[in-house]
């Protein structure tokens, strides 16, 4: 831009350049999301074949010696972990691309559906889920909200060490034009320095041997909540539990 150009002319050029750069950035983000989706999708077929072959070997106990059985079991476990990771990446990508219209969602129904979907894990861990608070309406997308809460409650059941019994409480309260949904647990807790990064994709605070997982679940929680026009955060005391909260528009 030359010094002789008028301020409106300079402003117009800057705005045009900003729009062009924004368009280019959006296109690159779309390409990256598409690549992530298709790469993850195409990985599933050979992975399932590998897992099925390893499981077939394990079923015929006489065909392999103890050392080979140990290695084959490790292959199956690694395949299961990879499948969980791929499923998480696909779901994260779906939430990034999906278009959905916000509708009134009754939280009591969502809470009950969350508990229903986790029935197997609740039985397996011996945990229990409490539903408390008011039955409120939020403006959101019901399947996405169920998924968000399912991820949070599943973590409450997982990140708990004996002698504590895995548990979670689901409740909601009105706060002006917003509804705050709480998922409270009595698990291992989260250090203050980790409370932001746990919502980043592939972030893990613990070794797989200690607590299995893909590092995608809380990223899905954050992305799903933001797509519904809300916010997410956590309050926690290490060794005493965590209180995750979702701030969603009231319906």
């Amino acid at each position: 831009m030359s010094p002789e150009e008028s301020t409106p002319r300079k402003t117009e050029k800057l705005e045009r350049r900003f729009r062009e750069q924004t368009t280019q950035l959006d296109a690159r983000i779309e390409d990256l999301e598409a690549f992530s989706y298709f790469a993850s999708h195409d990985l599933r077929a050979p992975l399932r074949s590998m897992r099925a072959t390893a499981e077939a070997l394990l079923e015929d106990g006489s065909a392999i010696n103890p050392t080979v059985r140990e290695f084959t079991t490790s292959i199956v476990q690694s395949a299961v972990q990879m499948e969980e990771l791929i499923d998480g990446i696909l779901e994260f990508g779906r939430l990034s691309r999906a278009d959905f219209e916000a509708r009134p969602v009754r939280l009591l129904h969502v809470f009950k559906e969350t508990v229903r979907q986790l029935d197997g894990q609740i039985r397996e861990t011996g945990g229990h889920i409490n539903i408390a608070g008011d039955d409120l309406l939020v403006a959101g997308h019901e399947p996405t909200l169920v998924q968000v809460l399912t991820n949070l409650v599943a973590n409450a059941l997982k990140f708990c060490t004996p002698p504590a019994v895995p548990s979670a409480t689901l409740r909601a309260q009105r706060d002006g034009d917003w509804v705050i949904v709480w998922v409270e647990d009595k698990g291992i807790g989260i250090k203050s320095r980790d409370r932001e990064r746990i919502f980043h994709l592939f972030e893990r605070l613990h070794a797989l041997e200690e607590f299995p997982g893909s590092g995608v679940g809380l990223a899905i929680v954050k992305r799903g909540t933001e797509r519904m026009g809300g916010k997410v955060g956590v309050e926690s005391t290490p060794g005493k539990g965590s209180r995750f909260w979702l701030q969603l528009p009231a319906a």
Side-chain angles (χ1 to χ4, degrees):
M1 291 181 292
S2 65
E4 294 77 15
E5 284 185 304
S6 64
T7 298
R9 179 65 174 170
K10 292 179 181 179
T11 301
E12 181 183 348
K13 282 190 174 182
L14 287 172
E15 290 178 346
R16 184 169 62 251
R17 185 179 302 171
F18 176 77
R19 288 195 297 269
E20 290 173 353
Q21 291 177 343
T22 300
T23 299
Q24 292 174 1
L25 179 61
D26 288 342
R28 290 175 181 175
I29 291 174
E30 289 179 2
D31 289 344
L32 183 61
E33 290 176 345
F35 170 79
S36 173
Y37 174 81
F38 288 111
S40 300
H41 186 272
D42 291 344
L43 283 171
R44 300 179 83 173
L47 185 63
R48 286 174 175 170
S49 177
M50 180 181 70
R51 177 182 173 182
T53 301
E55 288 176 336
L57 285 173
L58 290 175
E59 288 177 1
D60 187 358
S62 62
I64 55 177
N65 61 46
T67 300
V68 175
R69 172 172 291 278
E70 180 182 351
F71 290 160
T72 307
T73 300
S74 179
I75 290 173
V76 172
Q77 292 172 344
S78 296
V80 170
Q81 292 171 1
M82 182 62 76
E83 286 178 349
E84 291 176 353
L85 178 58
I86 290 174
D87 288 342
I89 293 173
L90 289 172
E91 187 55 37
F92 185 83
R94 186 193 69 79
L95 284 175
S96 300
R97 297 187 311 275
D99 293 324
F100 50 74
E101 180 181 352
R103 299 178 180 275
V105 177
R106 188 165 294 281
L107 285 176
L108 181 58
H109 173 74
V110 170
F111 289 170
K112 290 180 178 179
E113 178 61 18
T114 297
V115 174
R116 188 192 69 79
Q117 290 195 13
L118 290 170
D119 180 69
Q121 187 175 348
I122 293 170
R123 293 175 182 273
E124 182 180 345
T125 61
H128 60 272
I129 310 300
N130 302 314
I131 296 176
D134 298 326
D135 182 18
L136 302 174
L137 286 173
V138 298
H141 183 249
E142 184 174 314
T144 298
L145 185 52
V146 170
Q147 182 178 27
V148 164
L149 292 179
T150 298
N151 284 1
L152 290 175
V153 175
N155 279 352
L157 294 170
K158 178 171 67 173
F159 291 100
C160 184
T161 55
V165 177
S167 67
T169 297
L170 291 163
R171 63 183 180 88
Q173 64 186 73
R174 185 70 180 258
D175 184 13
D177 294 332
W178 300 90
V179 171
I180 311 299
V181 179
W182 296 90
V183 179
E184 304 168 335
D185 67 55
K186 297 180 180 179
I188 61 175
I190 303 163
K191 295 178 181 178
S192 58
R193 67 171 182 265
D194 296 325
R195 292 175 197 166
E196 288 294 331
R197 73 183 187 92
I198 59 172
F199 294 104
H200 297 168
L201 197 60
F202 305 128
E203 284 287 352
R204 292 183 48 84
L205 303 183
H206 308 278
L208 280 171
E209 296 77 12
E210 187 177 7
F211 293 104
S214 63
V216 180
L218 288 179
I220 289 176
V221 168
K222 186 174 189 293
R223 179 59 59 88
T225 302
E226 290 176 344
R227 290 300 312 277
M228 292 185 288
K231 298 179 181 179
V232 61
V234 62
E235 302 170 359
S236 185
T237 301
K240 295 186 178 180
S242 302
R243 302 171 73 228
F244 285 85
W245 54 265
L246 310 175
Q247 184 186 54
L248 297 169

